[in-house]
Amino acid sequence: MGINYTSPTYYSHVLKEHFPSSGLLLLKLIGTLPTSLGKLEHLQQLFVGSNHLNGTIPISLSKLEQLSSLSMQDNDLQGTIPEGLITLTRLKSLHLDHNNLTGTIPSTLGALALSLLDLTASDNLLTGSLPASLGRVAKRGRVVDFSYNRLHGEIPVELCLARNMFLIGTNITNRCSEICRDKQYRVSHGGGVMLYSVMYLYSPALIFKIFE
């Protein structure tokens, strides 16, 4: 069901009357996400990707403690990734790719390691270094992708055992070959393909592929 969002009042009414629980897919959205989304306390899946949304990610989403999937990719969202998402202890997938998010990666995301399997926020404006706490997510999860951000620094030791981590187009320095000597390393020039149990890093001329 598509909703052309033009009025926060109308939007809130539609949500309350027609989508009290389970999953919610919203298309053709224009504007900002209302804080009233936080009132859908039984919501399990929220998909608002591929719209024309701007503004920030509402902190009220941290109230959706039943949420297992949150997809907000392909919009024009700004601001930071809310640290309050730490309350979403059932969250399995978080997709924030292709927005204009700024600030650093919250270290609190590591607290979601027991549930979070997919964490993607590529093609944003995120800065700073990789939090070591992400190691708990990257080791267990299916994919962690922070490619094409303004990240820098070295890969924390905790992230060297990542299953599928993508850091293409960043200024992250690869130290895993020094740290994880029981790994097999291959280096290729140019692009790479999607492989399981592999970490991708972009260095001006090389992509490092780190296999289990």
Side-chain angles (χ1 to χ4, degrees):
M1 178 178 179
I3 297 175
N4 191 347
Y5 164 51
T6 56
S7 166
T9 302
Y10 170 76
Y11 190 39
S12 300
H13 172 74
V14 170
L15 291 178
K16 183 177 180 180
E17 294 296 322
H18 300 288
F19 301 102
S21 62
S22 191
L24 176 59
L25 169 64
L26 297 176
L27 303 173
K28 299 182 180 179
L29 302 183
I30 301 172
T32 59
L33 287 169
T35 58
S36 55
L37 279 172
K39 296 180 180 180
L40 303 177
E41 57 185 29
H42 299 295
L43 193 66
Q44 297 175 18
Q45 301 178 72
L46 176 60
F47 303 97
V48 292
S50 302
N51 283 292
H52 299 282
L53 297 171
N54 52 43
T56 60
I57 299 174
I59 189 61
S60 60
L61 295 183
S62 62
K63 298 179 181 179
L64 305 179
E65 296 181 0
Q66 303 299 315
L67 205 63
S68 63
S69 297
L70 177 57
S71 297
M72 311 182 78
Q73 71 277 6
D74 296 306
N75 282 291
D76 189 27
L77 295 172
Q78 298 132 27
T80 60
I81 300 174
E83 292 195 9
L85 296 181
I86 189 177
T87 61
L88 305 181
T89 56
R90 300 188 180 186
L91 196 65
K92 295 181 179 179
S93 61
L94 175 60
H95 299 293
L96 303 172
D97 315 78
H98 309 297
N99 281 288
N100 287 305
L101 297 173
T102 56
T104 58
I105 301 170
S107 60
T108 51
L109 290 178
L112 301 178
L114 293 179
S115 62
L116 198 58
L117 296 175
D118 299 324
L119 172 58
T120 61
S122 63
D123 196 14
N124 278 284
L125 303 172
L126 298 173
T127 56
S129 57
L130 290 169
S133 60
L134 282 183
R136 288 175 285 173
V137 178
K139 186 175 180 180
R140 178 181 180 275
R142 291 183 297 221
V143 61
V144 175
D145 190 354
F146 285 100
S147 298
Y148 302 107
N149 280 285
R150 300 174 179 177
L151 303 173
H152 59 81
E154 297 180 340
I155 297 178
V157 175
E158 293 83 355
L159 286 170
C160 286
L161 296 177
R163 295 182 60 194
N164 300 293
M165 187 159 191
F166 298 84
L167 299 168
I168 302 171
T170 68
N171 289 316
I172 296 293
T173 303
N174 174 34
R175 291 186 58 239
C176 292
S177 58
E178 303 172 10
I179 298 168
C180 305
R181 299 186 182 278
D182 58 336
K183 292 272 187 177
Q184 177 183 4
Y185 294 87
R186 301 178 186 177
V187 179
S188 69
H189 293 267
V193 296
M194 173 78 76
L195 294 172
Y196 293 107
S197 297
V198 59
M199 180 188 291
Y200 285 89
L201 293 168
Y202 178 82
S203 184
L206 301 173
I207 291 181
F208 298 86
K209 300 176 181 180
I210 305 169
F211 294 82
E212 287 186 345

